[in-house]
Amino acid sequence: MSVTQQQVLDSLARIKSPRGVALTNANVLSAISAADGKVFFSINVDAAEARAWESVRAEAEAAVRAIPGVTTVMVALTAERKPGAAPPPPPTPSRGTPGVQPVHAHKPPQGGQSPMARQSEIPGVAAVIAVASGKGGVGKSTTALNLALGLRDLGLKVGLLDADIYGPSVPRLTGLHEKPELDSERKMIPLRRFGLAIMSIGFLVEEETAMIWRGPMVMSAVTQMLRDVAWGSLDVLVVDMPPGTGDAQLTLAQNVPLKGAVIVSTPQDLSLIDARRGLAMFRKVNVPVLGIVENMSYFQCPHCGTKSDIFGHGGARHEAEKLGVPFLGEIPLHMAIRATSDAGNPVVDSEPDGPHAAIYRAIAGQVRDQLKGVIAAA
């Protein structure tokens, strides 16, 4: 049964804001995405009123979930202040709504706790690590999946979270297209393949769907995939990050105490410049950098064996030495890695005795060695 935006709006019209106004008339709703039984939207309010609106968010989510045909609901409660806005005067309580002020009447909180004070461990998960890149197209997702499989081969219990909201690749890389089910606590049960617990926003939306989401919705989605998933007992949760240094990266760093980050780059200068920015971001939020991987390091002709440095060679190694972080290894540009990834059978699993699987396992071994203080010995 198809769910329409109008059905969602009709359902939300019965919910009252903290001031008693119908939610659909409160000027707080984002655009509503409703397709194939999946509904996504955000409620945008002033930060000082967030606590008063949380019950409204929960009521809205329950109301939409009750619509026949709805299978998945994600309602984000977000707050933002217009840039350049002058500080407003001290708030005066609105008549009949004690403690809840008009949006324009609030100042943003001054001082207070660091955003990192909100960090908390994911129950059952010993270590969360990020696989990141400063730019797209460097093979980060392929590296993240094969790294997770390499850690699995070392005897660890491993999960993989695809946090690339705008361009989720893990469904294609793993060949998984099922929808996650909910457990008795209404947490999503991760899909399983290759011995990994796997979750991706791509399991909730169709592959061709354009995720036209603002930053707060991205942040809420990342938080929900961290906290509202029944990960079970894991030694390592590998998080495939979107490229760049944006909302998803900051949300992850503020939400959980990351045990480290792996930076993926190609050898060329342009990629290294962006990789440097990614490394600097993780250092700024006190996340240890486990090392740099040079992907597409060289091309070796399958016929004559000649090596060609298509994107240059050794740039990532040099950058790692310069920045004082470990260099984890070189991964060649090879048809087998590309073909197995496109087919949903990553090379570490489909060709476990091959030279490329050995490279990924060697990288995984270095990562494991740096995490030995926080994960169970394999």
Side-chain angles (χ1 to χ4, degrees):
M1 183 183 298
S2 179
V3 180
T4 67
Q5 289 185 353
Q6 191 57 51
Q7 285 177 290
V8 175
L9 289 170
D10 291 344
S11 177
L12 296 177
R14 297 191 289 270
I15 297 170
K16 303 294 184 182
S17 77
R19 299 186 188 84
V21 178
L23 188 56
T24 49
N25 294 329
N27 295 320
V28 295
L29 292 177
S30 71
I32 294 172
S33 171
D36 301 316
K38 295 175 282 289
V39 179
F40 306 100
F41 63 92
S42 64
I43 300 173
N44 308 303
V45 302
D46 183 82
E49 292 188 355
R51 182 168 296 182
W53 279 88
E54 176 51 39
S55 60
V56 177
R57 186 210 66 79
E59 192 178 349
E61 185 172 288
V64 175
R65 198 181 299 278
I67 299 173
V70 170
T71 58
T72 302
V73 183
M74 186 178 291
V75 181
L77 180 62
T78 65
E80 54 185 322
R81 181 185 175 211
K82 291 181 179 179
T92 303
S94 301
R95 187 174 299 172
T97 55
V100 180
Q101 312 303 330
V103 170
H104 67 269
H106 287 282
K107 292 181 180 179
Q110 303 295 319
Q113 284 187 318
S114 161
M116 298 305 167
R118 298 196 299 267
Q119 290 180 335
S120 62
E121 304 280 356
I122 299 174
V125 178
V128 181
I129 65 171
V131 178
S133 64
K135 62 178 296 179
V138 299
K140 169 187 52 60
S141 296
T142 299
T143 302
L145 174 55
N146 282 294
L147 170 61
L149 292 170
L151 291 167
R152 175 208 64 181
D153 287 351
L154 296 174
L156 301 178
K157 292 178 288 185
V158 184
L160 176 66
L161 170 58
D162 181 0
D164 193 345
I165 301 299
Y166 295 118
S169 301
V170 164
R172 175 60 64 93
L173 293 173
T174 59
L176 288 171
H177 302 288
E178 296 85 359
K179 307 300 181 190
E181 297 180 351
L182 300 178
D183 65 9
S184 59
E185 297 179 350
R186 302 204 65 78
K187 287 193 172 186
M188 289 182 286
I189 302 172
L191 303 184
R192 296 200 68 88
R193 195 174 183 200
F194 314 121
L196 305 177
I198 305 171
M199 180 54 64
S200 169
I201 193 70
F203 298 150
L204 305 177
V205 298
E206 298 305 320
E207 191 173 47
E208 297 81 13
T209 300
M211 304 296 285
I212 309 172
W213 286 5
R214 299 176 70 187
M217 292 190 75
V218 172
M219 295 161 72
S220 179
V222 171
T223 300
Q224 285 192 274
M225 287 196 295
L226 285 168
R227 300 292 177 188
D228 294 345
V229 172
W231 289 110
S233 177
L234 296 177
D235 294 308
V236 184
L237 176 61
V238 177
V239 183
D240 176 22
M241 300 300 298
T245 55
D247 295 313
Q249 289 84 350
L250 188 59
T251 298
L252 184 68
Q254 292 178 348
N255 203 291
V256 295
L258 284 171
K259 298 303 188 288
V262 173
I263 308 295
V264 181
S265 177
T266 60
Q268 66 191 110
D269 291 343
L270 186 60
S271 180
L272 290 167
I273 291 170
D274 292 318
R276 201 175 300 137
R277 293 191 186 104
L279 189 148
M281 182 208 70
F282 283 113
R283 282 181 164 172
K284 198 165 188 176
V285 294
N286 298 316
V287 173
V289 175
L290 301 174
I292 298 178
V293 172
E294 183 171 280
N295 198 31
M296 308 181 200
S297 183
Y298 56 88
F299 171 74
Q300 186 165 11
C301 177
H303 304 293
C304 67
T306 302
K307 284 187 176 182
S308 300
D309 298 332
I310 295 175
F311 298 111
H313 185 260
R317 181 189 295 273
H318 175 73
E319 195 68 25
E321 293 171 353
K322 177 177 160 185
L323 297 172
V325 299
F327 178 68
L328 298 177
E330 301 174 349
I331 301 170
L333 177 64
H334 197 279
M335 191 176 297
I337 297 175
R338 193 276 306 164
T340 55
S341 296
D342 285 351
N345 290 295
V347 71
V348 171
D349 197 78
S350 59
E351 300 179 13
D353 299 323
H356 306 121
I359 293 171
Y360 285 114
R361 278 195 292 269
I363 293 171
Q366 294 182 70
V367 170
R368 178 202 56 187
D369 291 345
Q370 294 186 67
L371 297 175
K372 275 188 174 176
V374 292
I375 62 176

